[in-house]
Amino acid sequence: MNLFNMKFFRLIFFFVFTIFMSSAVEAVGPFAYSAIKEGIGARAYAMGGAYTAVAEEGPALFYNPAGLATPGFLYEYETLSGGKGLSFSDYRSHQLYMSPLAFDYWKKESGSGDSVEVVSLGFGKRTKGGIDWGVNYHSMNVNEGGVAQQGWGADIGVLARLNQNMTVGFTAHDLFKQNLELPTTFAAGFALSTLSKNFTFATDLVSARENNQTTIRGRYGMEYALSDGLILRGGYFDSTLTGGIGLGLGIIELDYTMLYPQNNASQASYMIGFRLGKGAKNQEARRRYALFKPKTYAEFSMGSNIVQGKSEISLMNGVKVGSNDLLGLIHEASLDDQCEGFVIRMGNLQGSLSAISLVQDVRRELLKAKQAGKTIVVYLDGWATLPEYYLASVANKIVLPELGTISHLGLAVEVLKTKRFLNNFGFDTTIVASGKHKASLSPEGEAMTAEDKALYEDILNNLYRQVLLDIQASRKLSWDKVKYAFDGRLISAKEAQRVGLIDGIGYYTDVKEGIPSTNVGQKGSQIKSLYSYAESEEDVMFPLFNKIAVIEIDGTLVSGYRPGNFLTGAKETGAETIDQVVKAIQSDFAIQGVLLRVNSPGGSMLAADQMYQAIGKLRKAGKTVYTSMGGVAASGGYYIALNSDKIYSNPGTLTGSVGVISFYPNQEGFQRLLGIKREALKTGDYMDIFSPNKKMTAKEKKMLSEYQQEHYAVFVDRLSSNRFLNPDEALVIAQGQAVTGEQALKLKMVDKLGNFYDAVDDLAKETGIKGKPELVYFRTEPPALLTAGWLQGLPDMMGKMMSIFKGE
């Protein structure tokens, strides 16, 4: 959810109410009244002005600002010249629709020189409950009968999506105003569409003031899409027949509108509109936010398209969905009453030990959904090893193609030691490690000791036991019957079905066609993309104190500001970036708690300590900070987590690795092979200590080791003081060895086993948040426009925009 949208609305709302201090003093004439109240928009005019319940794109700013909540981006220019049979003869408009905001400038003129100019700004807010709302502020310049007047007004609108085919809307026009005596008028509308959305019928009832009497007028309109690029429109209002045609090509559309007074055929007027952008015809959004929605299944694929932590986009690897975002989508779908379950296409996870924790994160969320009554169907896409089958085992039904294979139902780790190979070519690396196991997995290090091997075999066995217990609990397998399959052998689909590893044989099309329907009149339930749940927001209008900030620590820890590698997608977290995030959170009174989401193997200790100190500032500011560990939260990743009030870990998270390690490569031997001789002049013994052209001496290594020991002591002290361990207990843990989350709990390194949303739920309770918390991901800076300083200058800005459009 977007924190800045909510802030913007609160400021707009505050602005409208606080500056409404004086009463209206000047009445407008009949021309100005008609011009202001009649409406705008070539598309809306073509539909007879019956647009209160349609409320899409730029014209929604006038007819019902609640429609601005529908996603879309569009610029539109419209013009009418020589109009007849209307209150105005000339009209032009510029509209910029950029959901949830919209801006427009329009001017209407009469044949006698009267004119009305309006600059408007609107905001729409979406709720998951199917009721959207919006506000609009419009500044008006009126020139009628030689008298110039200025003022402003504000409208409020509501749009209720009864289902994906029916909407109702209500708008109060000029509910608030200043300096111009404009009566408050109201409009109520109803719109009905076909299932395919190619035909829409709409009707409005609009109040008006005539001779100090309130009258109710009807407006009627329709829209029929013959194809994606050809749309016909028609309507009727105030004894005027309307019609129009829309011609679209990609992001460009031309609208042509005709207005034909019944009592005077010669008074026809014509309007032309040019539109550029992607409009608001988001059918999935309509379905998602309806009050009464059809039953659906959420569909997604999971394999090489999934990465740990944040989602990423890179030139070399394309789009990768982050586990943090995937969990959020599954969680939102699970909370939707209309979502019957999940259809998952399971590809290859390119498994490693950290993949087990990723699967546990996702599997835990799916298990909650299953326990809440959702049905889960998994299709194993041809080949499945332990990580893929582990996730699939949570499903109600597992399907594998007839020629598919299940294999390698176990864990294995290989460590390639390159030291001897590189030495053969004259390359060497001096390793300075604080913690006797810190270098055990390093390729440049010495061979693993028996103690090293025992430690990592223990990790392997611990992870394997966790996986087997979960599979057994979900699948209710007879171990005596299936244990032979878990020795790494290849298992065919028929064999897997015979022993109960899967439930059916078929292809993905068979899986989708076999999804049962719970919808009246349908042969099968609708299957919708899981990503359609990405825009889910709260049902409440003012969720002021239910926010939890999420700070993501992803990839290698480095100093400075690092937004990520756009070429390769390699992830880094910069210490300066976290400082900026912390500063933003400190000043936000609406944020009740902070959740660190760590998916990092470590990196620079200096960067880790800077982030550690930044998190400490949040706690000093009174924010409760929890940590949720993803696949890996080791070394510097664990170091940062130590400064939180509670640490949550998946059972299979790889964490620990408490220690410090430095690498100093040299190519002295290689240069000797090439006949290169090094001559060095220096003013001190250690001036060339980091030179890659010489081997490090024992004296130099001793000095570096003593220096590094100070950093190591800081790490151990952080562990001891934050986890309430005595020095001896801390030193046993701080030998550089990795542990699983389950082992870490026994060692008092973490507080609780659970996934991301387990930590969210507990943090919400701890901070007193009632109901569902709103998660605010601090990934980008707030747009410069959405600031209080800009908003306070809104009237001046409106005046400047008016001058720009007038050409002054």
Side-chain angles (χ1 to χ4, degrees), residues 307-311 321-325 552 554 571 599 779:
V307 294
Q308 298 270 12
K310 291 183 288 188
S311 297
V321 180
S323 57
N324 295 355
D325 297 309
E552 294 162 304
D554 265 11
K571 292 184 178 180
N599 279 285
R779 293 177 176 172

Side-chain angles (χ1 to χ4, degrees), residues 782-787 790:
L785 289 179
L786 303 186
T787 61
W790 168 80

Side-chain angles (χ1 to χ4, degrees), residues 742-762:
E742 189 174 77
Q743 292 170 326
L745 181 65
K746 295 177 181 177
L747 294 169
K748 298 189 287 187
M749 296 172 66
V750 303
D751 296 286
K752 192 172 180 180
L753 297 182
N755 77 345
F756 178 81
Y757 278 97
D758 292 323
V760 168
D761 292 342
D762 287 357

Side-chain angles (χ1 to χ4, degrees), residues 628-795:
S628 167
M629 293 178 171
V632 179
S635 195
Y638 180 67
Y639 184 100
I640 299 168
L642 286 170
N643 206 6
S644 52
D645 295 285
K646 274 189 178 181
I647 301 175
Y648 285 68
S649 169
N650 291 307
T653 297
L654 298 180
T655 187
S657 192
V658 178
V660 184
I661 189 168
S662 303
F663 299 89
Y664 304 97
N666 78 81
Q667 52 194 16
E668 182 182 40
F670 179 68
Q671 291 179 349
R672 190 183 304 115
L673 289 173
L674 297 178
I676 299 173
K677 183 179 179 182
R678 173 180 179 268
E679 299 285 358
L681 303 174
K682 55 185 179 179
T683 59
D685 290 346
Y686 300 106
M687 288 304 299
D688 59 350
I689 190 172
F690 298 134
S691 171
N693 302 312
K694 61 175 283 294
K695 186 175 182 178
M696 187 174 288
T697 66
K699 180 181 177 183
E700 290 170 333
K701 184 175 181 179
K702 180 175 182 295
M703 187 275 289
L704 284 172
S705 181
E706 291 172 351
Y707 172 79
Q708 186 171 287
Q709 196 67 19
E710 295 182 17
H711 292 71
Y712 177 59
V714 171
F715 200 161
V716 175
D717 180 66
R718 300 271 193 258
L719 172 67
S720 177
S721 59
N722 285 288
R723 300 308 305 168
F724 305 105
L725 302 170
N726 64 49
D728 291 337
E729 289 176 321
L731 276 174
V732 170
I733 294 170
Q735 295 305 313
Q737 71 273 34
V739 294
T740 68
E742 189 174 77
Q743 292 170 326
L745 181 65
K746 295 177 181 177
L747 294 169
K748 298 189 287 187
M749 296 172 66
V750 303
D751 296 286
K752 192 172 180 180
L753 297 182
N755 77 345
F756 178 81
Y757 278 97
D758 292 323
V760 168
D761 292 342
D762 287 357
L763 180 56
K765 292 176 184 176
E766 176 69 22
T767 54
I769 293 175
K770 304 298 183 184
K772 179 188 169 189
E774 177 186 335
L775 301 185
V776 184
Y777 289 83
F778 280 80
R779 293 177 176 172
T780 58
E781 292 294 319
L785 289 179
L786 303 186
T787 61
W790 168 80
L791 188 62
Q792 289 168 359
L794 182 62

Side-chain angles (χ1 to χ4, degrees), residues 3-82:
L3 171 66
F4 307 114
N5 284 356
M6 199 62 230
K7 279 185 174 179
F8 178 80
F9 168 71
R10 294 202 304 268
L11 291 168
I12 276 280
F13 200 81
F14 177 76
F15 175 82
V16 170
F17 276 90
T18 53
I19 69 172
F20 179 55
M21 299 298 293
S22 62
S23 60
V25 294
E26 296 182 71
V28 299
F31 164 74
Y33 174 84
S34 297
I36 292 171
K37 296 291 185 177
E38 209 165 56
I40 60 171
R43 181 186 174 196
Y45 266 117
M47 296 179 66
Y51 212 70
T52 305
V54 177
E56 288 184 348
E57 301 161 351
L61 184 57
F62 174 86
Y63 291 96
N64 190 343
L68 301 177
T70 303
F73 177 87
L74 194 72
Y75 165 76
E76 183 166 1
Y77 172 75
E78 299 173 342
T79 182
L80 177 146
S81 182

Side-chain angles (χ1 to χ4, degrees), residues 255-298:
D255 290 326
Y256 181 73
T257 297
M258 300 165 286
L259 301 103
Y260 191 86
Q262 277 187 300
N263 55 5
N264 193 340
S266 64
Q267 297 293 304
S269 301
Y270 307 93
M271 187 180 297
I272 296 175
F274 168 80
R275 306 199 303 169
L276 177 66
K278 184 175 175 62
K281 296 173 185 178
N282 185 334
Q283 311 308 333
E284 181 55 39
R286 293 179 182 180
R287 181 207 68 79
R288 177 77 177 100
Y289 296 102
L291 286 171
F292 306 105
K293 296 167 278 191
K295 301 295 184 180
T296 62
Y297 275 74

